[in-house]
Every structure is written in structure tokens, then in C-alpha cells.
Amino acid sequence: MTDAPAAYSGPKRILSGIQASGSLHLGNYLGALKRFVELQDTAPTFVFVADLHAITVWQDPAVLAAQTREIAAAYIASGLDPKHSTIFPQSAVREHAELAWIFNCVARLGWLDRMTQFKEKSGQHKERASVGLYTYPVLQAADILLYRATHVPVGEDQKQHLELTRDIAQKFNNDFSAPGFFPLPEPMIQGPATRVMSLRDGSAKMSKSDPSDLSRINLLDDADAIASKIRKARTDPEPLPDTLEALKARPEADNLVGIYAALADETKAEVLARYAGQGFGVFKPALAALAVEKLGPVTGEMRRLMADPAEVDRVLVAGAERAREAAAPILAETRAKVGFWSAGAG
Ligand code: AQP
């Protein structure tokens, strides 16, 4: 009988990131940003701006750096404390790319062939997609394991990629006879808004790349735009139901109740207890007022920071330095496990 492989026994570390691929929306805020802030006091937290991921689809070089600062501004404006949480641009820590290459040689083609996000994002012409878009989840595994992160707060859409990260960690540990070398990180997909849907279509995810601006609330939208988009959100003519089962059968209503619950830090059941029997003529203005109340301060602080790029750059420079300090020894150990040359070794 063989012993079970040793489990990772290092400290808890939280890590996540958002792509620098356009303006952030309410789905990013509720599914990611707000969660990072809630978790930052529970363990050392690393939050990066994923510019290496962003270039898997075309990004205008004239705006990529500004987009990177904008995401960093959103992190800080949402409440991430740069003294406490390590905030940095992914490309400023070269170790991400080096570990991703090693993991490209650990991951199997069959694993990547199963990734549904690649299928969705590459559309009908996958032969025209970049190789980077295909190997995107391998880079994501490197982002996480480079810091031996144990917990990864993300939206529902990232669940499959997190499973792949665990498979890569497990295979590396087995291949290189290094039980417990990398942790098998846990996705943290919790709360009433892990998958915020489009305001125009309750079956599609709210997304940066949706061509209709009415489909999403952008973090930089002003109060009038927020109210108008919620007023125009697609719904049905029925009043809100009094059970979660009945709500589930009505995707657009379910989405708006989920957004309300997440913004108010309540459960959907608590929201229904207050609004059951009321029509959208009552619920939509209440939701718009709540969204403006909660997002207004974030938007205001983001605008202030975006007008002061030097302040954001100071945070990113300090964060990149701290991230490199954390990453370098883990990459050095990984290189040694793989057997790469270093002077005096082997
Ligand atoms: N609709 C959503 N509901 C809840 N969470 C969401 N996230 C994204 N959309 C929703 C979460 O936000 C984090 C960062 O996402 P990302 O920008 O790195 O990539 P994405 O998931 O591809 O975001 P988009 O808006 O859908 O971008 P495009 O249109 O470029 O594909 C992740 O934690 C994600 O789960």
C-alpha cells in the first residue's frame, strides 16, 4: 500500500486578477472586486491587473497602459488597501511568463480542448484565435501557483479554469516527485452575484465585450446612466414572486433581485420578503437608487485616481516589487525541481 501524497501545508494566501481589456462593469464589481475587499483582511492578498491575459485578443498599444491604471484605480476605489494588499501589473513580474512556459509543458492538450471559455471567445473561427487565447488558462495557473495561493475569489465563469489549475498543480507535484509542492487552490465562488447577467438578456453573462452598452452598468457610469439602464432592463410584466423557486424560472427578474441582494449585502430571500407582490415599477427605482448609492463613491474615487496617474503608478511600482519578492523564491525552487541548470547545481 502506498501512502497518500502529502498535502500542501503552507499558509493561506488569496490571489485574483482582472483583465486590462476594457472598462469594468457591475458583474466584475460584484463577482470580483467587492469580494477581494471583503477577503483582504483574512489572509495576505495579491491582486493583479492581467495585462498578459488582455493581449490574448488585440489591445491597442496606445491605451493598454491607461487601461491597466484604470483597473488598478478600480481596485483602490473599491476599498483594497495598497499597504495591506499587493496590487501590481502582471507583466511587471516576469516570473508569471516563465512559470506559464513550464506549465505549458505539464498541461495536456486534451485538458485545454475542454475549456468552454476558449470555445465561446474564439467563436466560429478558432483557427484565427491567438495561441495565447488557447493557453490562457495555463497562464492563469501560473499566476496563482507562482505565489502558492490557496484561495481564489472569482465569478462562476472561472470555475473550470480553477479546476485546470488544480490538475496542473497535481500533475507537477506527481511528475517531479514533489508532494505538496504546489497547493491545490480553492475557488471562492460565493454570494448572490457570482454570475451577473446582461440587462438585455437573462441568458447571457454581463460582459465587457457585449456590443450593447445597455447590457451592462459600467463602473464609470453616472447616476443618470445607471437609472436609465435599470429602467430599460428587460423584465416580464409579473410582480415579484414570494419564493426562490418561482424566481428561478424568471431569469431577468432573478438577475435584478440578485444584483439588489449583492449590493445590499442581503440574501435573495430577504429581498423577496420585502418586495414580493410588487411590480417592476416599484422595484426598478429602488434598485437604481441602491446602485447609485453604492457605486457612486467608487466611481468618484476612480475618477479622482484616474486624474492622478502618478499616484496609481506609485501603488503599482511598490506592488510589483513586493510581488517579485514573493514570486522569485518559488520560481527558483520550481526551476530546481524541473532540473534547469544553475551554477553549482546538480
Ligand atoms: N457577469 C459577471 N458576473 C460575476 N462575475 C463576473 N466576472 C466577469 N463577469 C462577471 C468576474 O470578474 C473577474 C474578472 O474578469 P475578467 O475581466 O478577467 O474576465 P472576464 O470574465 O472575461 O470578464 P468579461 O467582462 O466577461 O470580459 P470579456 O467581455 O472581455 O470576456 C473574474 O473573477 C470573473 O469571474
Side-chain angles (χ1 to χ4, degrees):
M1 210 178 95
T2 51
D3 291 335
Y8 177 75
S9 60
K12 178 176 177 185
R13 269 184 177 175
I14 295 168
L15 175 137
S16 201
I18 296 184
Q19 287 191 75
S21 56
S23 291
L24 295 182
H25 53 73
L26 185 66
N28 298 131
Y29 179 71
L30 295 177
L33 287 165
K34 188 168 179 288
R35 300 279 297 129
F36 305 163
V37 176
E38 288 159 359
L39 291 164
Q40 67 176 333
D41 292 330
T42 65
T45 300
F46 294 78
V47 184
F48 62 95
V49 184
D51 51 357
L52 295 177
H53 278 105
I55 62 163
T56 57
V57 296
W58 172 251
Q59 301 296 330
D60 181 348
V63 300
L64 183 58
Q67 283 175 187
T68 301
R69 286 193 191 96
E70 185 178 326
I71 309 283
Y75 287 155
I76 304 164
S78 300
L80 276 177
D81 175 359
K83 290 201 193 76
H84 209 70
S85 299
T86 303
I87 300 173
F88 61 101
Q90 183 187 25
S91 67
V93 183
R94 308 262 165 98
E95 285 84 350
H96 286 250
E98 187 173 340
L99 188 59
W101 178 257
I102 295 173
F103 286 169
N104 272 330
C105 303
V106 172
R108 305 290 93 178
L109 271 181
W111 299 356
L112 289 181
D113 281 342
R114 287 197 289 275
M115 295 296 115
T116 53
Q117 195 178 80
F118 174 75
K119 289 177 194 156
E120 281 159 25
K121 291 202 171 179
S122 59
Q124 303 205 320
H125 302 288
K126 80 176 168 80
E127 68 284 358
R128 287 191 212 153
S130 73
V131 176
L133 189 66
Y134 187 68
T135 61
Y136 177 117
V138 177
L139 176 59
Q140 197 169 326
D143 301 333
I144 297 166
L145 297 173
L146 184 58
Y147 302 92
R148 291 200 173 114
T150 54
H151 292 79
V152 185
V154 280
E156 181 72 39
D157 59 330
Q158 294 299 324
K159 192 169 174 208
Q160 196 186 33
H161 290 169
L162 258 292
E163 280 158 13
L164 186 100
T165 296
R166 292 167 63 92
D167 289 343
I168 290 175
Q170 183 79 68
K171 188 167 190 305
F172 184 97
N173 293 352
N174 290 343
D175 288 356
F176 296 99
S177 305
F181 182 76
F182 284 123
L184 308 189
E186 298 286 341
M188 302 179 87
I189 304 172
Q190 285 142 4
T194 54
R195 188 170 171 82
V196 177
M197 307 308 276
S198 156
L199 297 179
R200 307 300 292 166
D201 175 359
S203 67
K205 186 178 84 121
M206 186 178 283
S207 165
K208 293 182 200 113
S209 49
D210 190 315
S212 166
D213 192 54
L214 286 177
S215 70
R216 64 183 162 262
I217 292 172
N218 301 302
L219 276 192
L220 289 173
D221 281 346
D222 62 20
D224 288 345
I226 292 175
S228 148
K229 286 177 180 179
I230 291 177
R231 200 168 51 242
K232 290 182 187 149
R234 195 171 141 191
T235 41
D236 54 46
E238 303 297 319
L240 284 171
D242 54 7
T243 65
L244 290 173
E245 288 69 35
L247 185 66
K248 228 184 226 164
R250 294 165 57 189
E252 281 87 11
D254 191 18
N255 189 36
L256 295 188
V257 170
I259 292 172
Y260 190 108
L263 285 169
D265 288 315
E266 291 179 338
T267 62
K268 286 189 201 178
E270 284 168 329
V271 178
L272 284 189
R274 225 167 33 259
Y275 287 100
Q278 312 253 32
F280 285 100
V282 172
F283 186 67
K284 280 183 172 178
L287 175 58
L290 179 66
V292 169
E293 178 199 326
K294 298 288 179 178
L295 298 179
V298 177
T299 308
E301 181 62 0
M302 259 183 91
R303 288 193 190 286
R304 186 191 73 74
L305 287 163
M306 285 163 63
D308 186 359
E311 183 177 341
V312 176
D313 283 354
R314 277 194 294 278
V315 169
L316 291 175
V317 167
E321 201 176 310
R322 275 188 354 234
R324 277 194 298 268
E325 276 167 20
I330 297 174
L331 184 67
E333 281 181 58
T334 308
R335 288 176 52 100
K337 290 275 174 237
V338 173
F340 284 148
W341 170 89
S342 74

